[in-house]
Amino acid sequence: MRGLRTASRRLFVRLVAQTLVITIAAMSAIVLVLTSNSSTALVTSTEAHLEDLAQSAASRLDGWTQLAQSQLSGYAQALAFAAVPQSGVGSVLQAYFAQTESTFSELDLVSSQGQLVASTATGAAPSYPQPDDLGAGGLGATILPVALSGGELQWYAYIPVSIESDHFTGYLAGDINTAADLTQVFDTVIASTSAPIVLQAVTSDDRLVFSSTTAVTSTAAMVQDGALREVVHTPAVVAALRAGSQAGALGYGQGNGAAIAGYVRDESLGWAITATEPSSVALAPV
């Protein structure tokens, strides 16, 4: 009888032990599934947030582009109907500046032969694009690609203009205030992000134009921090600049270099706009 009881106890212990093993294994599997699902949800949420940031920045850039083109078109239209000789155009342009919060730091009226006719600049000789640099263009205002010259960024918009009263045909060129304008464009988006998120604008040839991590006090400061000198060829930039690309998000890199990025191509300027966050920060436990 005693032997039977002992055998029963051993069988019970063995059954309990096996049950515990099965239970622990099942619980571990459940925890693994829950953890995996939670991690996937966090990645999806982060990707959506970063994509939204990139799209918001691109939308503001599009809005600024339309404003700059509209302003220059307005200046040109007013000049076309202004009953003033060429010698009086400079004061007319200055008056335009006084009446509007211009996106330009300087306006230059240039003849079709490339001669400066009038300018809002005082003191120093103004800079303006030559007709060969302007290209064929069209009837509307055109924004030229941003360029590097003498350690600073140069960025112009232009529009053909005719002054009927003086039988003048040429161009009105606007010198874009790059540092101030890009700061204004992206500041609101940057303010809505946490510190580790980096917002960048990159040209179609992979050159950095703007980064939220660099100084944007002047174009010279921007160049010193890499503007148009630093090549940015991340998977997010490549995806954004791909022909027919749609806005999206992706993860790339390994270890400390792993990151998640939202991206979009800005159609008005052809730039890649990216918002990037280190994976170690984005996926860190709360």
Side-chain angles (χ1 to χ4, degrees):
M1 191 71 175
R2 184 178 300 173
L4 181 60
R5 290 177 180 173
T6 301
S8 298
R9 289 197 192 99
R10 289 176 180 172
L11 178 60
F12 175 75
V13 170
R14 188 175 303 168
L15 290 174
V16 169
Q18 290 177 349
T19 302
L20 285 174
V21 170
I22 294 173
T23 301
I24 292 173
M27 291 178 64
S28 298
I30 292 172
V31 170
L32 182 62
V33 170
L34 291 175
T35 302
S36 177
N37 288 342
S38 175
S39 178
T40 300
L42 185 56
V43 169
T44 301
S45 174
T46 300
E47 288 180 341
H49 176 57
L50 294 173
E51 182 180 335
D52 285 345
L53 287 177
Q55 287 185 306
S56 177
S59 177
R60 287 183 59 81
L61 186 60
D62 284 339
W64 171 87
T65 300
Q66 293 172 13
L67 174 63
Q69 292 173 322
S70 176
Q71 281 191 346
L72 198 61
S73 296
Y75 296 151
Q77 187 175 10
L79 275 180
F81 294 103
V84 295
Q86 293 183 27
S87 58
V89 170
S91 60
V92 173
L93 293 177
Q94 289 285 4
Y96 294 161
F97 258 20
Q99 295 168 5
T100 60
E101 186 177 346
S102 182
T103 58
F104 304 100
S105 60
E106 177 185 328
L107 292 175
D108 298 324
L109 185 64
V110 186
S111 72
S112 55
Q113 290 76 38
Q115 296 175 332
L116 178 66
V117 175
S119 175
T120 58
T122 57
S127 57
Y128 56 88
Q130 295 295 322
D132 290 344
D133 297 327
L134 297 177
L139 297 178
T142 300
I143 296 180
L144 297 173
V146 60
L148 181 61
S149 177
E152 295 192 5
L153 299 180
Q154 289 189 340
W155 201 12
Y156 296 100
Y158 76 96
I159 187 171
V161 63
S162 298
I163 303 177
E164 296 180 2
S165 62
D166 209 27
H167 304 290
F168 171 84
T169 300
Y171 298 94
L172 182 63
D175 188 346
I176 296 171
N177 194 345
T178 310
D181 286 355
L182 288 185
T183 298
Q184 185 177 10
V185 166
F186 294 122
D187 255 1
T188 302
V189 180
I190 294 171
S192 69
T193 69
S194 57
I197 296 178
V198 177
L199 184 69
Q200 290 186 321
V202 181
T203 65
S204 58
D205 60 349
D206 299 337
R207 297 285 176 174
L208 178 70
V209 176
F210 176 91
S211 174
S212 58
T213 62
T214 60
V216 197
T217 54
S218 67
T219 59
M222 291 175 70
V223 172
Q224 289 179 354
D225 282 341
L228 290 193
R229 296 190 299 114
E230 180 180 339
V231 174
V232 182
H233 196 67
T234 63
V237 169
V238 172
L241 295 178
R242 188 179 299 122
S245 171
Q246 301 293 321
L250 50 75
Y252 63 89
Q254 295 180 343
N256 293 333
I260 300 174
Y263 62 84
V264 67
R265 176 186 173 92
D266 175 72
E267 295 300 332
S268 61
L269 298 174
W271 292 355
I273 308 297
T274 64
T276 307
E277 185 173 14
S279 297
S280 58
V281 176
L283 305 181
V286 180

